Amino acid sequence: MKRRERTRQLIELGGLVAKAGLVELTDDDRAVLFGVMVEAAATLQGEHRDEVLTLWRRRGRRAFADSDTEL
């Protein structure tokens, strides 16, 4: 991945963290934010990976639709 593409990807991912309200909900505590992501990664390594992905995908799509933002 080229540097410019990687920078864009990181900016978009940061935007998703902010859009989800996690920055405000955690008082911008980077350790908490990272902990949430580590927990999500651990969950995705479990035996219910496919079910969790389906659930999270539905929630994400619903949140995008509610906020009038495209996927």
Side-chain angles (χ1 to χ4, degrees), residues 22-70:
L22 291 172
V23 177
E24 292 80 16
L25 291 170
T26 62
D27 292 325
D28 199 14
D29 186 326
R30 309 293 167 89
V32 172
L33 290 168
F34 188 53
V36 167
M37 290 181 262
V38 168
E39 184 68 24
T43 299
L44 292 176
Q45 292 174 7
E47 61 185 61
H48 300 290
R49 179 182 194 280
D50 292 336
E51 293 89 349
V52 170
L53 281 173
T54 299
L55 173 65
W56 290 350
R57 186 174 293 114
R58 281 188 201 139
R59 287 182 182 169
R61 287 182 175 162
R62 197 173 316 129
F64 273 126
D66 291 346
S67 66
D68 297 321
T69 302
E70 293 184 27

